[in-house]
Amino acid sequence: MTKFSNLYVGMDVHKESIDIALADGDGRQEVRHYGSIGGDLPALDQAVRKLQATGKTLHFVYEAGPCGYVIYRHLAGKGLDCVVVAPSMIPKRSGDRVKTDRRDAEMLARLYRAGEQKWSHEFEQRHKWKLRV
């Protein structure tokens, strides 16, 4: 692995926790579960610092949900690449009824690395008037 390779970070976000999965940019290694952290921004910042220490370029992705765009704005504000995907745009295998946070995070990291997904981070720009507080 070179120092300048990419690392795709899939996150399954909930109010109380965030599950994180990692996919190396070279595509040779299997997607791996990094762990579960608290659902607050300081816990996320700590995980980001650890991942930045690897020297790789980080690319974050998570599924849009009731937690909103707080994480997107936070990571983008730090100059990190972050995209949000609409749940309806995530492909699902027929017959795959087991849904876990770990699997969701791994699927997001895998799809983002492969470039097989349409990402909806533009949503915030198109609906900015709705998101104002």
Side-chain angles (χ1 to χ4, degrees), residues 8-13 18-22 31-33 35 61 63 100-111:
Y8 297 92
V9 183
M11 301 183 294
D12 191 53
V13 178
I18 300 172
D19 265 87
I20 299 175
L22 305 175
V31 177
R32 63 191 183 278
H33 186 249
V61 59
E63 185 177 356
T100 66
D101 298 342
R102 180 178 182 159
R103 277 187 174 186
D104 288 349
E106 290 173 354
M107 175 65 77
L108 288 169
R110 186 177 296 112
L111 290 172

Side-chain angles (χ1 to χ4, degrees), residues 3-11 20-25 32 34 44-61 75-76 78-83 112:
K3 181 179 176 182
F4 301 105
S5 64
N6 294 321
L7 185 63
Y8 297 92
V9 183
M11 301 183 294
I20 299 175
L22 305 175
D24 286 315
R32 63 191 183 278
Y34 180 73
L44 180 61
D45 285 339
Q46 183 178 7
V48 168
R49 280 192 301 274
K50 287 181 182 179
L51 293 171
Q52 284 177 323
T54 64
K56 297 180 180 181
T57 304
L58 303 177
H59 303 278
F60 293 87
V61 59
L75 293 174
K78 292 178 173 277
L80 297 168
D81 177 41
C82 182
V83 294
Y112 194 26

Side-chain angles (χ1 to χ4, degrees), residues 7-133:
L7 185 63
Y8 297 92
V9 183
M11 301 183 294
D12 191 53
V13 178
H14 298 280
K15 184 178 180 180
E16 300 296 324
S17 67
I18 300 172
D19 265 87
I20 299 175
L22 305 175
D24 286 315
D26 61 6
R28 293 182 201 153
Q29 294 182 345
E30 187 61 33
V31 177
R32 63 191 183 278
H33 186 249
Y34 180 73
S36 184
I37 61 172
D40 56 351
L41 294 179
L44 180 61
D45 285 339
Q46 183 178 7
V48 168
R49 280 192 301 274
K50 287 181 182 179
L51 293 171
Q52 284 177 323
T54 64
K56 297 180 180 181
T57 304
L58 303 177
H59 303 278
F60 293 87
V61 59
Y62 72 98
E63 185 177 356
C67 296
Y69 284 80
V70 174
I71 291 174
Y72 169 77
R73 288 186 198 109
H74 182 73
L75 293 174
K78 292 178 173 277
L80 297 168
D81 177 41
C82 182
V83 294
V84 182
V85 64
S88 61
M89 300 303 290
I90 299 172
K92 305 214 182 343
R93 293 183 209 148
S94 63
D96 189 9
R97 304 212 189 280
V98 178
K99 187 172 178 336
T100 66
D101 298 342
R102 180 178 182 159
R103 277 187 174 186
D104 288 349
E106 290 173 354
M107 175 65 77
L108 288 169
R110 186 177 296 112
L111 290 172
Y112 194 26
R113 175 179 67 186
E116 296 178 8
Q117 193 59 52
K118 291 181 183 176
W119 308 107
S120 66
H121 59 85
E122 303 90 19
F123 174 87
E124 183 176 17
Q125 296 305 316
R126 288 191 314 240
H127 300 285
K128 198 169 198 166
W129 62 272
K130 292 181 184 178
L131 299 171
R132 289 196 182 135
V133 179

